[in-house]
Amino acid sequence: LKLQFLYFIGNMGDSTEDFVYDTFRDQPDKLPQDVVYDKFRSFVRDYGEKLETSEKDLNESFGEVWDMMDPIALDFTPDSKLTLEEVLGVKCKADPLFYKIMLVFSSLVAEVGDLVDEANSRLLPALSTFGENPSDRDLEDGEMQLSFGRMLPLFLDLWTFCDRSYNVIENIVKQLASIYNDRNRKNPEKKGLAAYQNTHLTSVWVAVSDLMRVLITLDQVIVQNDSFQQASTIYKRMMKNARNQPEKYDTDTAKAKKFGLLLDKLETDLLDDQIFERCFSERFHDENHGDNLMFMHEFDFQMRELFQYIKRGTGMQNEIDKRQMYVGLCGMYVMYYSFFSNKIKGKSEEKKFFKTLFDIHKEVPVIHLFGNTTYSPAEWLGRRIPDMANAVTKDPMRDHQAACRAALAKYEANLEAIVGKNLQDVMVWAARFESKHMTSKTEDIISRKTYMITKGVYFAQEIGTLIKTVLGLHVVLEASLNVKKVLLLCKSIELLKSILVTFHRKSAEIGNLMSIMCEYISYNLQRILIPFKRKLKENQAKLDETQIDQMSAIDLMQRVLYGAPTRNSIIVLKNALHIVTSKTGNMMKAEDFDAMKVYMRKLELISSWQRTVQEACDCSFLYWQRAILPKYFEMIFKQPSFAPSMVYMFAALHDPAKVLLSACHLSDRKSLFTAYQKETEEDFMENIVDPLCKEIGDTLRLNIHSVVLGQGRHQLGETVHKDYQHLLNCNSLRFFGKRMNVRDHVQNHLERQFYNLTALQPQDWKTYEEMRALAKEKYNMNLTEAHLPGQILDQGLDILEITRAIHVFVTKYAYNINNQIFVERPNTTESKHLSSVHIRHIANSIRTHGTGMMNTTVNFVFRFLKSKFYVFSQFLFDDHVKSRLMKDIKWNEEHKSETQNYYPFKRSEKFVKDIRKLGVENGNSYLDQFRKLVTEIGNGLGYVRMVRTGGMRAISGSINFVPSLEEIPKFAELLDDANFRKNPDDEDEEVEGSFPESTLQAAVNLDTVLLNQSKKFSEGSDYFKLLEGVFRDELNNEKNKHLQNFHSIIPPLTLSFVEHMIANKDGLTKKGKECSFCDDGFSLGVMFILKFLDLNTKFDGLHWFESVRDYYKAEKKKVETQVASANTSGPNSDQQGELSTLNLTSNRIKQRMREFELLLFSFRSAKVFFKDKRQEEEEEEEDEEDEEDLDDLDEA
């Protein structure tokens, strides 16, 4: 794309016909097209670098792994909806007995797999988290009982699970016992079954071992958690009280007694280490398997075969799941002993086998089962089979403790070497896995890829076993972990997750090759089966029952191998393979027999490699070992070069989430997960981010101060210099939907610190600018500038400054009601420029300080108006003013008929002259000062109006995304409704959904913001109504009755205002400070006072502006008459002077008429802000009537 773009730009530079050469004066030595090419090449290069940086930031393949938080994941596990009957196929039914045996045992093995999955995914996580408290406080009285009560549904499920497991084990044992029975040989009807007595169905016995391990794990999880016994005791005590006081617990005695009996049985069956024991005591107490010697021999044979398989790999690199199989084998031996104890007691051979089985604990003294639960073979076998254990050792517990101490000492001595070797092995494996194939042969590629997958699984299992074993030994022996061990174990955890990440990176390639690898393994299996089948066909006439079944099994395997290696197919293949290899004779070589087993294990591993890798790399046990995290984070801070590997540790910290979210004993299932997430984040912040912020801040400060003070850095306390670039350059760490970036945290801390300190001491901004520049140079941090400017270029006066000095602002600025602008008065400043305040200035300030300043401004203006109205009241209460006003009001009432309700212009002029006689100060009479007071009140109201309009402008940028201000939906309520879904188990029941708490809180915040903005945007003139209501209640009463004379002083005030405006406008053309073109605060103040004093009707009754108009019309007509008479008399010098005087008088009259007309318009504009709803409705009705009249005229 870059090359194409450069080519396009290069071709653009070829044409130079209409090129302006003067624009390249900075590079006169280059041709214009070369300059353009260089500029575009620089642009493309810079743009490419930005793209590469963005790609690097967005490329999360190295640090991201699949976990429960990922919305999408690729699952390559072969899946099919075919049932076992469909997998076996119709052809298999040609041999009914073979079909029945394959179907029965395959179904039982599949059933065991389902039970194991259910236990691992649902039961064990919930049981292992019981007793965990999300808070650090002690449980209050009653909380333990509530926790146990919430677990009762799970206990019922566990009860059902155990019964189902017992049924499956019983069924398997009976099915096997029916095959391996001497009576089959003697009974002709069961001759077919006798043919299978040479077949060793190992996969069925392994399934029994797996289910035994699950039962043992359930026992161990409950027994090793003291919270179960403690909670059970307290809960039973509470139920005893319920039986004694049934009315208090809203029950009756019979129900309470019955429930108590169920609790006793529950405790006996599930909580008293009887889950495994009940399998034999309840299901096989009536069965007499001890007389079935063939079944006993087969049982013994399978145990020894499993033991040899386990012993060969235990403690070695390729052991995979052999420790887990050893747990199941111990359970199988206990069952074997319970069946045939009478037959094997005292036999030296049996004693020798048990001793070899028991001695495994010396190599593997502790086996991790689930969570924080471990299994101690010596202790468990000593408890279950004390006779056999005492025969091989005097004290099993002492042997167990000794084996644990010996194993721990061995790990302490060799742990560093083991971890180093694992690190080297994993690095070599990863490098080979990532490398490209050097061969083009498909067979070699498939073989190598299969080998690498298998090797990766082995490494993961080995490292996981090492971590769990070392931690388990310390838990069992209650030994402390030193810092060195903690760091080595954390390094192993990182290695473990690096294997998972490597598989993740190669998953697409593995997915593409997976079908080919499975086909290749199937081909190798068939390559062994076909010759064997051919040999059987050659001797078809001499085939016995077993060989006929072998033919059927080979046919079945060939059919199944043609399909996908699904779980059911693998089960069928294993069982069929047992029949195929039951009797080979000389027809199959021993190495072919072993090769078939290896290929089957590879096919099973390749078909389920994702699940196997995920289980091998699972680190959910870290929740119970989270105390190691602070030490790990401290190590990362002290050795920043290891910081890039933190992504693997955080990937491991994701694993406990599924277990924690399965907790059933808490009212909020997410609380335990939330507490774990919060605790981990706090450890990360306290041990890495906070020290790093302090260290970098101190380093920058010491470097700057060393220059300012002229001292060396060692004198200022710096002794050790560390390179924190590895920490700062570390990729964003993902942790349950959050992204934690160390650089961003440090930058935010420094920016916040520089801003706060600069705000406190603005004169120090240069120091922090130097620190910012040093941070850019040393750590490549792009910090915000520390200098705090007084304002932005387009902001003007700040709303805070205006509000604080509102009493000064209203005197120094003049208001224009139409343009909503305040202009500074020239006589109040020495500057050659006048400041102005516009709506955009107020909007910018509101964006800076928030919409909360609008209410603050109204409060300040209210206090200002309160002080001004006190002066206003004092002036109208003055005897000279009050008497004169009352006299004018009385005269107007008496001469209403003579003046036709018009207030005479001459009386207003006489009022002005009389007030002027009372005194003049700086050329202004008391009436002029009162006019200024009213103007200041109006300016304050104009400022409130401007703040409201500025707020609307500031909010309009975001409120335009709201469809309707009248019907804003409540997102919190909608989210609450959507957060409930149908219960898949019960459609009539609704259960809480999976919206995270942050989403619910975001909805509440959005509702709050929308409500706040809609109120601010739709308030209209509510501020004016609010102020009007306050002053109406306070001033419109009997105490302030003298204010009712205000309407009578408005005519003289208008005369004063008109004279004031004429003088100011004349000053615009002259040199001087007294000049202005607007002062609409007077009109706004007059209308506001008339409104809250209810004097609008009385003022309208004066018909003042009509009186002014008539007066000036009469004066104008008189002047025009004089001018006409002077023109008819003939020209002379006296008449020329008289005409000039008359013209000046005419212009003066016109000017005053124009000013009064402008004042009338201003009054009408201001009056609009104080209309009530009734007046608005009447005006709307009048407008509608006028429109109807116009329509009628148009029709006419």
Side-chain angles (χ1 to χ4, degrees):
L1 181 61
K2 293 180 184 178
L3 292 175
Q4 291 176 356
F5 186 56
L6 287 173
Y7 178 77
F8 173 70
I9 297 302
N11 290 337
M12 286 179 58
D14 292 340
S15 177
T16 59
E17 294 180 358
D18 301 326
F19 206 83
V20 182
Y21 289 86
D22 294 339
T23 57
F24 299 94
R25 293 175 182 174
D26 54 339
Q27 295 178 338
D29 56 332
K30 288 190 176 183
L31 293 175
Q33 60 265 32
D34 294 337
V35 175
V36 173
Y37 181 80
D38 291 343
K39 287 185 177 181
F40 273 105
R41 182 169 56 183
S42 176
F43 165 77
V44 173
R45 183 177 59 253
D46 295 340
Y47 185 69
E49 291 176 356
K50 291 181 180 179
L51 286 178
E52 290 175 358
T53 304
S54 302
E55 182 182 6
K56 181 180 178 182
D57 294 338
L58 295 175
N59 184 13
E60 302 169 355
S61 62
F62 189 73
E64 297 292 337
V65 297
W66 285 321
D67 54 47
M68 62 170 294
M69 304 303 292
D70 287 325
I72 299 175
L74 297 175
D75 186 4
F76 295 105
T77 305
D79 189 19
S80 175
K81 298 185 180 300
L82 295 178
T83 62
L84 282 170
E85 294 89 337
E86 292 171 336
V87 172
L88 292 173
V90 179
K91 291 183 179 181
C92 190
K93 294 182 180 180
D95 189 346
L97 183 59
F98 172 76
Y99 176 78
K100 184 183 296 184
I101 288 177
M102 290 298 301
L103 181 60
V104 168
F105 286 110
S106 298
S107 300
L108 289 172
V109 173
E111 180 79 9
V112 170
D114 293 337
L115 290 171
V116 172
D117 290 342
E118 181 181 1
N120 290 330
S121 62
R122 196 169 67 88
L123 298 177
L124 289 174
L127 292 172
S128 62
T129 55
F130 180 75
E132 296 292 335
N133 188 6
S135 60
D136 296 332
R137 62 177 180 82
D138 296 332
L139 293 178
E140 298 180 359
D141 185 27
E143 289 187 353
M144 182 65 78
Q145 293 92 318
L146 287 173
S147 298
F148 191 81
R150 297 188 189 103
M151 290 291 290
L152 290 178
L154 182 72
F155 287 143
L156 293 178
D157 292 342
L158 178 59
W159 223 336
T160 305
F161 174 84
C162 292
D163 287 340
R164 181 59 187 161
S165 300
Y166 302 156
N167 290 334
V168 172
I169 292 175
E170 181 183 11
N171 195 346
I172 292 176
V173 170
K174 289 182 177 180
Q175 294 290 348
L176 291 173
S178 65
I179 292 177
Y180 302 104
N181 197 316
D182 288 331
R183 288 177 294 181
N184 292 336
R185 296 180 178 179
K186 300 175 182 179
N187 190 348
E189 296 179 357
K190 297 185 177 181
K191 185 179 179 181
L193 284 176
Y196 288 93
Q197 291 177 352
N198 294 325
T199 301
H200 302 293
L201 299 172
T202 306
S203 60
V204 180
W205 293 94
V206 171
V208 175
S209 170
D210 290 340
L211 200 49
M212 291 289 182
R213 173 178 53 82
V214 169
L215 297 178
I216 293 172
T217 304
L218 290 171
D219 263 338
Q220 294 299 105
V221 167
I222 295 174
V223 169
Q224 294 182 21
N225 191 344
D226 297 334
S227 299
F228 281 107
Q229 289 298 332
Q230 182 182 358
S232 175
T233 303
I234 297 174
Y235 196 82
K236 287 171 64 178
R237 189 181 305 144
M238 182 188 70
M239 292 310 303
K240 184 177 180 181
N241 294 334
R243 287 197 300 270
N244 297 332
Q245 300 175 346
E247 64 281 352
K248 182 179 179 180
Y249 293 89
D250 192 20
T251 185
D252 55 60
T253 305
K255 290 182 179 179
K257 185 177 180 180
K258 184 177 181 180
F259 187 72
L261 294 175
L262 288 173
L263 281 178
D264 292 337
K265 182 169 178 54
L266 183 146
E267 183 178 16
T268 303
D269 291 349
L270 302 180
L271 306 182
D272 288 345
D273 195 16
Q274 294 297 313
I275 294 178
F276 176 76
E277 191 69 31
R278 285 174 53 224
C279 181
F280 317 118
S281 61
E282 291 187 3
R283 300 292 172 157
F284 299 103
H285 64 279
D286 294 332
E287 299 290 336
N288 187 14
H289 294 293
D291 296 334
N292 191 346
L293 296 180
M294 183 174 289
F295 178 63
M296 183 185 76
H297 293 319
E298 178 64 19
F299 206 145
D300 180 70
F301 172 82
Q302 290 293 347
M303 285 195 303
R304 292 176 186 272
E305 285 293 314
L306 284 176
F307 176 75
Q308 291 301 324
Y309 172 75
I310 293 169
K311 187 177 181 181
R312 282 196 300 269
T314 303
M316 299 176 66
Q317 191 181 81
N318 59 346
E319 72 171 43
I320 307 182
D321 58 347
K322 292 183 179 180
R323 299 193 183 212
Q324 304 297 321
M325 292 180 66
Y326 176 64
V327 177
L329 180 59
C330 291
M332 285 181 63
Y333 189 86
V334 174
M335 182 170 69
Y336 174 75
Y337 184 81
S338 67
F339 288 168
F340 311 108
S341 58
N342 296 329
K343 302 288 185 182
I344 62 177
K345 275 185 180 180
K347 289 187 176 182
S348 58
E349 184 180 354
E350 200 61 41
K351 181 179 178 181
K352 182 179 179 181
F353 173 70
F354 179 78
K355 188 176 187 311
T356 56
L357 179 68
F358 183 84
D359 287 344
I360 290 289
H361 83 277
K362 295 179 181 179
E363 297 180 14
V364 187
V366 171
I367 298 175
H368 178 267
L369 294 178
F370 191 91
N372 63 334
T373 304
T374 57
Y375 173 78
S376 303
E379 181 269 335
W380 191 84
L381 288 172
R383 239 175 343 104
R384 298 296 180 182
I385 321 177
D387 297 340
M388 299 294 292
N390 293 330
V392 297
T393 181
K394 294 181 180 180
D395 190 348
M397 275 304 298
R398 186 178 62 185
D399 289 355
H400 166 63
Q401 293 290 330
C404 289
R405 286 191 292 269
L408 186 59
K410 179 180 177 181
Y411 280 120
E412 287 180 348
N414 303 320
L415 185 60
E416 187 172 2
I418 295 173
V419 174
K421 182 179 180 302
N422 289 337
L423 175 61
Q424 182 179 0
D425 292 340
V426 172
M427 290 178 65
V428 172
W429 168 81
R432 291 178 177 174
F433 204 10
E434 295 282 356
S435 63
K436 295 183 178 179
H437 306 296
M438 302 302 295
T439 178
S440 59
K441 292 183 179 180
T442 306
E443 183 178 352
D444 294 341
I445 294 174
I446 295 172
S447 178
R448 183 174 180 275
K449 192 62 64 177
T450 305
Y451 171 78
M452 297 308 297
I453 294 174
T454 308
K455 202 70 173 176
V457 174
Y458 288 163
F459 282 137
Q461 187 66 42
E462 180 187 7
I463 296 172
T465 301
L466 172 67
I467 300 168
K468 297 170 186 176
T469 302
V470 173
L471 292 174
L473 287 171
H474 282 83
V475 171
V476 171
L477 295 175
E478 298 181 356
S480 60
L481 275 168
N482 56 40
V483 178
K484 185 177 181 181
K485 282 185 186 176
V486 169
L487 300 182
L488 289 173
L489 291 176
C490 291
K491 178 56 67 178
S492 299
I493 293 172
E494 293 174 353
L495 276 178
L496 190 63
K497 282 301 174 180
S498 70
I499 294 174
L500 183 62
V501 170
T502 304
F503 273 108
H504 172 72
R505 280 202 305 273
K506 304 295 288 185
S507 59
E509 181 181 346
I510 297 173
N512 290 332
L513 292 175
M514 187 172 168
S515 60
I516 302 176
M517 287 188 288
C518 292
E519 289 179 5
Y520 175 72
I521 296 172
S522 301
Y523 163 74
N524 286 320
L525 282 170
Q526 294 198 55
R527 193 177 60 178
I528 300 173
L529 290 174
I530 291 174
F532 182 44
K533 181 180 178 182
R534 189 181 301 116
K535 291 179 181 180
L536 290 175
K537 283 187 175 181
E538 291 175 357
N539 301 320
Q540 191 168 4
K542 301 179 182 180
L543 296 181
D544 56 15
E545 293 290 339
T546 303
Q547 292 174 330
I548 293 174
D549 292 334
Q550 285 179 319
M551 287 281 292
S552 301
I554 293 173
D555 291 337
L556 175 61
M557 289 185 68
Q558 288 181 320
R559 290 197 303 271
V560 173
L561 286 172
Y562 280 120
T566 62
R567 178 184 154 189
N568 287 341
S569 299
I570 295 295
I571 293 173
V572 171
L573 285 172
K574 282 183 175 181
N575 289 330
L577 182 61
H578 298 323
I579 298 175
V580 170
T581 57
S582 60
K583 182 180 179 181
T584 57
N586 297 323
M587 297 182 184
M588 182 181 293
K589 298 179 182 179
E591 53 268 23
D592 290 340
F593 175 75
D594 295 334
M596 290 181 68
K597 291 184 178 180
V598 171
Y599 285 133
M600 277 303 304
R601 284 197 292 269
K602 285 185 178 181
L603 183 63
E604 184 177 11
L605 177 62
I606 296 300
S607 63
S608 60
W609 68 269
Q610 281 183 300
R611 177 176 177 176
T612 305
V613 171
Q614 190 67 47
E615 291 176 353
C617 299
D618 180 66
C619 294
S620 57
F621 61 88
L622 277 180
Y623 172 76
W624 290 273
Q625 308 294 339
R626 60 190 183 279
I628 67 176
L629 289 181
K631 293 296 181 183
Y632 169 77
F633 290 138
E634 287 178 9
M635 182 273 294
I636 292 294
F637 176 71
K638 292 178 181 178
Q639 302 179 26
S641 59
F642 294 113
S645 62
M646 276 197 301
V647 292
Y648 301 121
M649 178 57 74
F650 274 90
L653 293 174
H654 276 75
D655 292 342
K658 187 175 182 180
V659 177
L660 298 179
L661 291 173
S662 301
C664 300
H665 66 287
L666 300 171
S667 57
D668 182 9
R669 291 194 175 189
K670 294 182 180 179
S671 59
L672 196 60
F673 165 74
T674 305
Y676 165 72
Q677 181 182 2
K678 182 180 179 182
E679 181 182 354
T680 305
E681 292 175 359
E682 289 176 352
D683 288 339
F684 175 73
M685 297 296 293
E686 291 175 3
N687 295 284
I688 290 185
V689 177
D690 293 344
L692 184 62
C693 291
K694 182 179 181 302
E695 189 71 22
I696 291 180
D698 293 344
T699 301
L700 296 175
R701 191 171 285 104
L702 289 172
N703 277 277
I704 296 301
H705 289 177
S706 65
V707 177
V708 175
L709 301 178
Q711 299 178 5
R713 292 175 60 184
H714 64 279
Q715 294 177 292
L716 295 174
E718 184 175 3
T719 58
V720 180
H721 173 70
K722 294 181 180 179
D723 185 10
Y724 294 110
Q725 286 293 346
H726 292 287
L727 272 172
L728 295 174
N729 295 334
C730 183
N731 292 333
S732 297
L733 302 171
R734 177 183 172 186
F735 192 57
F736 298 117
K738 293 185 178 180
R739 296 189 178 276
M740 298 184 291
N741 189 286
V742 178
R743 179 180 292 275
D744 290 345
H745 280 296
V746 176
Q747 286 186 174
N748 292 337
H749 170 80
L750 294 177
E751 288 176 348
R752 183 169 59 252
Q753 189 180 54
F754 291 173
Y755 176 87
N756 292 336
L757 295 175
T758 305
L760 293 175
Q761 298 292 336
Q763 66 274 12
D764 293 340
W765 70 270
K766 289 186 178 180
T767 302
Y768 298 112
E769 273 296 298
E770 292 173 353
M771 293 174 65
R772 185 179 74 88
L774 182 61
K776 172 63 176 176
E777 178 183 355
K778 192 170 184 179
Y779 301 111
N780 195 27
M781 288 187 182
N782 297 313
L783 303 179
T784 306
E785 293 186 9
H787 178 54
L788 301 178
Q791 62 190 35
I792 63 176
L793 294 177
D794 194 34
Q795 183 169 317
L797 288 175
D798 189 77
I799 188 173
L800 286 176
E801 297 177 6
I802 298 175
T803 304
R804 290 184 184 130
I806 187 66
H807 59 288
V808 178
F809 175 77
V810 296
T811 60
K812 295 180 65 175
Y813 284 78
Y815 179 57
N816 186 295
I817 196 172
N818 296 312
N819 293 326
Q820 287 205 68
I821 185 174
F822 280 95
V823 181
E824 190 176 16
R825 300 181 190 274
N827 61 343
T828 60
T829 180
E830 296 296 331
S831 175
K832 295 182 180 181
H833 304 280
L834 298 180
S835 300
S836 64
V837 180
H838 197 265
I839 295 174
R840 68 175 183 274
H841 302 145
I842 302 297
N844 290 332
S845 295
I846 290 177
R847 289 192 187 99
T848 302
H849 302 290
T851 56
M853 284 303 302
M854 298 171 67
N855 293 331
T856 305
T857 300
V858 175
N859 293 333
F860 269 86
V861 173
F862 168 72
R863 289 197 291 268
F864 164 74
L865 293 179
K866 185 178 178 182
S867 63
K868 290 299 179 182
F869 275 117
Y870 176 77
V871 180
F872 175 84
S873 177
Q874 292 295 320
F875 178 81
L876 293 179
F877 193 72
D878 184 82
D879 291 338
H880 297 88
V881 178
K882 183 179 179 180
S883 61
R884 180 67 184 177
L885 292 176
M886 294 179 66
K887 183 178 178 182
D888 285 350
I889 292 173
K890 183 178 180 181
W891 185 92
N892 192 44
E893 289 292 332
E894 292 175 353
H895 299 82
K896 186 183 298 184
S897 58
E898 299 175 7
T899 61
Q900 298 180 352
N901 289 331
Y902 280 27
Y903 188 80
F905 186 86
K906 291 294 184 181
R907 289 195 66 84
S908 296
E909 287 185 328
K910 187 175 183 303
F911 185 93
V912 173
K913 293 177 181 178
D914 291 343
I915 293 296
R916 197 168 189 84
K917 292 177 182 179
L918 296 178
V920 177
E921 184 179 350
N922 296 328
N924 294 322
S925 65
Y926 291 119
L927 186 64
D928 294 332
Q929 295 180 25
F930 185 65
R931 170 185 53 77
K932 289 183 178 180
L933 175 67
V934 175
T935 302
E936 291 174 3
I937 293 173
N939 284 345
L941 294 170
Y943 178 62
V944 170
R945 180 193 173 206
M946 181 176 287
V947 168
R948 174 203 165 264
T949 309
M952 293 174 63
R953 180 168 179 170
I955 296 171
S956 62
S958 57
I959 204 67
N960 59 3
F961 295 103
V962 180
S964 174
L965 293 177
E966 299 177 354
E967 298 180 357
I968 299 178
K970 299 292 184 182
F971 288 93
E973 297 177 0
L974 295 175
L975 208 57
D976 286 338
D977 296 338
N979 201 27
F980 287 88
R981 54 182 175 78
K982 294 293 183 181
N983 188 349
D985 299 329
D986 186 1
E987 295 183 356
D988 297 332
E989 180 186 359
E990 287 187 342
V991 295
E992 189 174 355
S994 58
F995 285 129
E997 186 64 27
S998 58
T999 303
L1000 300 176
Q1001 186 61 41
V1004 175
N1005 296 340
L1006 178 60
D1007 287 339
T1008 304
V1009 171
L1010 289 175
L1011 180 63
N1012 183 36
Q1013 293 199 342
S1014 63
K1015 283 184 177 180
K1016 293 289 189 302
F1017 192 79
S1018 60
E1019 276 176 351
S1021 301
D1022 284 350
Y1023 287 144
F1024 284 167
K1025 292 181 180 179
L1026 177 65
L1027 294 172
E1028 174 193 332
V1030 172
F1031 288 111
R1032 180 193 298 275
D1033 297 338
E1034 183 65 26
L1035 299 179
N1036 205 3
N1037 51 36
E1038 190 67 25
K1039 180 181 176 181
N1040 298 302
K1041 190 175 181 181
H1042 59 282
L1043 300 181
Q1044 296 296 318
N1045 301 327
F1046 172 72
H1047 70 284
S1048 183
I1049 202 175
I1050 293 178
L1053 283 176
T1054 57
L1055 293 178
S1056 174
F1057 177 78
V1058 168
E1059 293 295 333
H1060 163 72
M1061 289 304 302
I1062 290 174
N1064 281 331
K1065 290 182 178 180
D1066 289 343
L1068 292 173
T1069 59
K1070 302 175 182 178
K1071 291 184 178 180
K1073 293 286 188 177
E1074 295 291 338
C1075 59
S1076 178
F1077 66 91
C1078 65
D1079 203 357
D1080 293 333
F1082 173 74
S1083 304
L1084 195 59
V1086 169
M1087 287 295 103
F1088 177 70
I1089 297 170
L1090 289 175
K1091 179 62 179 178
F1092 76 77
L1093 291 177
D1094 293 329
L1095 295 175
N1096 274 314
T1097 304
K1098 292 183 178 181
F1099 175 69
D1100 292 341
L1102 297 178
H1103 299 284
W1104 167 242
F1105 287 101
E1106 290 84 349
S1107 177
V1108 171
R1109 182 188 59 202
D1110 293 345
Y1111 173 78
Y1112 279 118
K1113 280 184 178 181
E1115 290 292 320
K1116 182 179 179 183
K1117 187 174 182 180
K1118 187 188 299 183
V1119 171
E1120 289 176 351
T1121 303
Q1122 293 177 358
V1123 170
S1125 62
N1127 289 330
T1128 57
S1129 301
N1132 56 56
S1133 59
D1134 294 337
Q1135 290 174 347
Q1136 289 293 331
E1138 184 179 358
L1139 283 172
S1140 298
T1141 303
L1142 291 174
N1143 288 330
L1144 290 174
T1145 303
S1146 177
N1147 291 334
R1148 181 178 60 82
I1149 292 172
K1150 291 179 180 179
Q1151 186 179 22
R1152 278 162 173 73
M1153 288 181 68
R1154 184 168 61 252
E1155 288 300 327
F1156 268 106
E1157 188 176 7
L1158 291 174
L1159 180 62
L1160 174 61
F1161 295 155
S1162 180
F1163 269 38
R1164 290 175 176 174
S1165 299
K1167 192 174 182 179
V1168 173
F1169 302 127
F1170 306 105
K1171 284 184 179 181
D1172 53 24
K1173 292 184 178 180
R1174 180 179 55 81
Q1175 291 177 335
E1176 293 178 358
E1177 292 175 357
E1178 291 177 355
E1179 291 181 359
E1180 289 179 0
E1181 292 177 358
E1182 291 177 0
D1183 292 340
E1184 291 177 359
E1185 292 176 358
D1186 293 340
E1187 291 178 1
E1188 292 177 358
D1189 294 339
L1190 290 173
D1191 293 339
D1192 294 339
L1193 288 174
D1194 291 340
E1195 292 177 1

